[in-house]
Amino acid sequence: MDKNALKAVATSVRTLSMDAIQKANSGHPGLPMGMAELGAILYGEVLKHYPKDPGWANRDRFVLSAGHGSMLLYSLLHLSGYELTLDDIRKFRQVGSSTPGHPEYGYTPGVETTTGPLGQGVGNAVGMAIAEEYLAATFNTERKIVDHYTYALAGDGCMMEGVTSEVSSLAGHLKLGKLILFYDSNGITIEGKTSLAFTEDVLDRYDSYGWQTLEGDAYDLDGISRLIEEAKRETSKPTLILLHSTIGKGSPNKAGSHTVHGAPLGDEEILASRKNIGTPEGEDFYIAPVAQEYFAGKQESWYQKYEEWNREFEIWAKENHELKSLWDRFHNGDIGIDDLPEFKEGEALATRSASGKVLLSIAEQLPNFIGGSADLSPSNNTTMPDYGDFGPHNRKGRTLHYGVREHGMGAVANGIHLHGGLRTFTATFLVFCDYMRYSIRLAAMMKLPIIYVFTHDSIFIGEDGPTHQPVEQIASLRIIPNLLVLRPGDAQETAAAWKIAAERTDGPTALILTRQKLTVYPKQDKDWRKTVIRGAYIVKDSEGTPERVIAATGSEVNLALKALEMKEPGVQKSTRIVSMISLERFLAQDDRFRTEILPSGVPVFAVEAGVGFGWTAITGTRDRILSIDRFGESGPGNEVAELFGFTAKALADML
């Protein structure tokens, strides 16, 4: 270890960070300045990485969970040779730059995930560690082609967020020995000292989770190196390394204060800091020549390790033709779904039950498809008994048991996909999607094709009452950009919805499924399987141009068909019923398609067992929406619907 060079790297991290933040007049200098030594050791001595190939399959992963400290990461990426220039650093937090305020996946080479919402990155790291274990168990022979660590850096704020507790508990249970979490313990948050609200013993907490816990000084280079080696020697537990640090270290007047957490230092303090840390007072964005030389000298050794792995991979591929073929399937994005269960007209089953049958078919066709439920797999119908359970003693299991940890489940699922090589799903009751909402939002932002199985989708779940009867959740999911919400009306549509979700590559999909049985109805559009991907299709058409259209989703398609049967023949013949499996996908179509489904000037009625929000986009008026705009009631589902006036007769009376 060249300690002089590492100190020069740390100094350069401090100067780049404080100057970029000052130039932007926005940002968080405290963490980058406080954790510069750790960053120098990680990127210079510890990480197995190759900056010329940021997507190298066997690289170590580093997640900055405390994403507000993004300049730490950007400085290190630039210094170590990733495709991030000094001009990019100068454009920190500017529109269109590759150095946004918080790290964003897909924008900056070397950034593994979008972070900033505290604790999410810890969950992502747990997911990456799960993926590493699964892929290693699947592909390693005597040659280890999957063999890397997952590192993450969290701060006091991450430790306070509940999602961190959820995922850390799970990681300890799963004995993820190749997960190493650094805790920047500086005792400061935005409001002041952490003691205002946070006095627990974090090491004791992580001991109870089943982690190895270590402690050291954030500025002792030898000590940090020893702690990392000790963490690596423990193979049956994840490791938490608590590093005592000073926020804003290097700033003579603001270090150790909450004033340096989330605001530029100011011109005077910048000058004082340069003098204090020994850099040229008149030179901004200073990089120590020793730091540049150090990283220049690292390029060849990194390349040699990278090429060594490539050679090993080539030998492994020649020795293991079937495994190589499987590897290619895992990594080449081939996700065509061709063979799905058939469901007959007139058959009655809950869409959650149909989903369970389809999921097993998907799992058979996609060998890299893993996932699980938040302790609800028997109710969500998401068990995969033929493929085993993932756990400490079976790293090849494809069913994940998340326990009652919805928020953690969402964050972990994002990490599993971000790692590469795997597709994944999660499952819970629809009403609990609120617990995992931020993880869903991040998946949509990062364009991750996570599949969410949300069952028990309305007041029709009955006796569990308003706490478990979702009413606003479907509408709230629809407003998340890039989240595709599919609410199939019967078992056949459920199979089609799964195919859409499984073949999607540019964002997540939520499947909204019933507890109660629904009858498989005849479909007048014989090409409906091709049409449904556009969000809507005609289930029952009128004779000639319709005089009215009923747009329904999920269980309400059956309700609409029953309502129409109550009307006189003339109304029946002049009414079109549309299954609008995805309102937002339909609204995104061109005018021609939309008017083919909903002809101009024809009154549209909408019916859904949830709030009416959003449906005026097709009805034009609230008066033609049959919805539920209040919380539910405990009792048998049909009786609750009668109480609320949400019945086939009520819809028939509207027509």
Side-chain angles (χ1 to χ4, degrees), residues 575-593:
T575 301
R576 172 182 291 179
I577 295 178
V578 169
S579 175
M580 193 154 290
I581 190 171
S582 175
L583 175 60
E584 70 276 20
R585 175 63 69 89
F586 173 77
L587 292 173
Q589 302 304 307
D590 57 76
D591 290 342
R592 180 177 178 181
F593 177 77

Side-chain angles (χ1 to χ4, degrees), residues 14-301:
R14 289 190 172 95
T15 57
L16 289 175
S17 297
M18 68 186 190
D19 286 344
I21 291 164
Q22 185 66 26
K23 186 174 187 296
N25 195 29
S26 175
H28 299 73
L31 183 146
M33 297 177 73
M35 296 305 289
E37 279 76 7
L38 173 65
I41 288 180
L42 282 176
Y43 275 80
E45 299 290 327
V46 175
L47 288 184
K48 178 169 56 180
H49 64 141
Y50 184 51
K52 298 290 190 293
D53 185 4
W56 176 24
N58 200 43
R59 70 193 182 279
D60 287 337
R61 273 64 170 176
F62 173 68
V63 175
L64 180 64
S65 185
H68 58 275
S70 57
M71 270 309 305
L72 172 72
L73 181 54
Y74 298 149
S75 298
L76 292 163
L77 292 174
H78 170 68
L79 290 168
S80 57
Y82 286 81
E83 192 177 338
L84 192 71
T85 68
L86 192 57
D87 282 342
D88 294 323
I89 299 291
R90 292 178 185 274
K91 295 176 183 176
F92 178 58
R93 290 194 165 215
Q94 303 310 299
V95 173
S97 77
S98 54
T99 51
H102 293 82
E104 294 184 34
Y105 175 72
Y107 284 82
T108 313
V111 170
E112 300 284 2
T113 179
T114 298
T115 55
L118 296 178
Q120 288 287 330
V122 180
N124 296 165
V126 172
M128 292 174 186
I130 288 172
E132 194 275 344
E133 293 279 6
Y134 180 88
L135 293 170
T138 302
F139 292 107
N140 286 351
T141 58
E142 69 277 3
R143 302 186 188 279
K144 292 186 176 182
I145 62 164
V146 181
D147 183 18
H148 68 79
Y149 285 85
T150 301
Y151 300 91
L153 173 58
D156 289 300
C158 293
M159 289 300 168
M160 294 185 208
E161 286 287 0
V163 65
T164 303
S165 298
E166 292 185 24
V167 300
S168 298
S169 172
L170 179 63
H173 166 75
L174 292 175
K175 301 183 184 302
L176 300 176
K178 297 177 82 173
L179 172 63
I180 299 174
L181 174 62
F182 300 99
Y183 169 25
D184 171 19
S185 180
N186 59 45
I188 296 293
T189 57
I190 291 174
E191 293 182 346
K193 293 184 181 298
T194 54
S195 57
L196 288 169
F198 188 62
T199 51
E200 68 188 45
D201 189 317
V202 173
L203 293 179
D204 280 354
R205 171 178 151 199
Y206 272 77
D207 280 334
S208 74
Y209 290 152
W211 288 56
Q212 174 181 226
T213 57
L214 305 173
E215 189 173 7
D217 181 346
Y219 311 110
D220 178 358
L221 295 173
D222 288 328
I224 293 172
S225 182
R226 286 194 298 269
L227 289 171
I228 293 172
E229 289 304 313
E230 188 174 349
K232 288 183 174 182
R233 286 194 294 271
E234 174 55 75
T235 60
S236 64
K237 294 180 179 181
T239 297
L240 175 73
I241 300 177
L242 184 154
L243 294 175
H244 295 281
S245 67
T246 300
I247 191 170
K249 185 174 178 61
S251 169
N253 300 304
K254 295 187 176 183
S257 165
H258 69 280
T259 60
V260 77
H261 168 80
L265 296 181
D267 291 334
E268 290 186 9
E269 189 65 12
I270 289 279
L271 290 174
S273 298
R274 288 176 185 160
K275 183 177 181 179
N276 187 48
I277 61 180
T279 62
E281 295 182 29
E283 185 175 345
D284 61 0
F285 295 93
Y286 173 78
I287 298 175
V290 174
Q292 292 178 314
E293 293 167 7
Y294 170 77
F295 278 118
K298 286 287 180 179
Q299 302 303 318
E300 181 60 27
S301 62

Side-chain angles (χ1 to χ4, degrees), residues 501-512:
E503 293 182 348
R504 189 178 184 208
T505 60
D506 61 352
T509 303
L511 304 178
I512 313 298

Side-chain angles (χ1 to χ4, degrees), residues 1 151 186 198 240 440-441 472 482 489 563 595:
M1 180 193 298
Y151 300 91
N186 59 45
F198 188 62
L240 175 73
I440 297 172
R441 184 176 189 266
E472 77 275 22
N482 199 39
T595 54

